[in-house]
Amino acid sequence: SVFPNPATDLVQVQYVLEESSPVQLNCLNAMGQVLQTQEFSVRSSGTHHTAFDLSSLPGGLYQIQITTQKGTSTKSVVKQ
């Protein structure tokens, strides 16, 4: 999940891993361009929280993409 949504500066990304996995999180704009990336070599199974700072980005719709060895999930967030 991504919260708060809509956001003004920081958004929290919460995701659950069923097993240990490398994780890559990307913030993309409406054209699919990667604006920010966070990579973790290995994260243990369980619930994880990561923050993205959107304060330098203009208002609009963004996608938070979470990629693990099990696949990719995408969540939308509105920056006010």
Side-chain angles (χ1 to χ4, degrees):
S1 64
V2 177
F3 56 93
N5 193 4
T8 55
D9 50 15
L10 288 178
V11 294
Q12 295 291 324
V13 180
Q14 177 181 310
Y15 56 97
V16 178
L17 298 176
E18 295 175 12
E19 59 187 45
S20 295
S21 173
V23 177
Q24 180 175 2
L25 293 102
N26 293 314
C27 178
L28 299 97
N29 64 15
M31 296 185 301
Q33 297 170 310
V34 177
L35 305 175
Q36 295 181 31
T37 298
Q38 293 185 28
E39 292 185 83
F40 304 96
S41 56
V42 175
R43 282 268 164 120
S44 61
S45 61
T47 302
H48 298 273
H49 299 271
T50 301
F52 269 102
D53 183 358
L54 305 181
S55 61
S56 64
L57 302 176
L61 180 65
Y62 296 91
Q63 304 292 320
I64 303 295
Q65 187 179 67
I66 305 164
T67 303
T68 69
Q69 58 192 20
K70 292 281 192 180
T72 300
S73 174
T74 303
K75 304 290 183 188
S76 297
V77 63
V78 174
K79 164 68 166 42
Q80 292 183 326

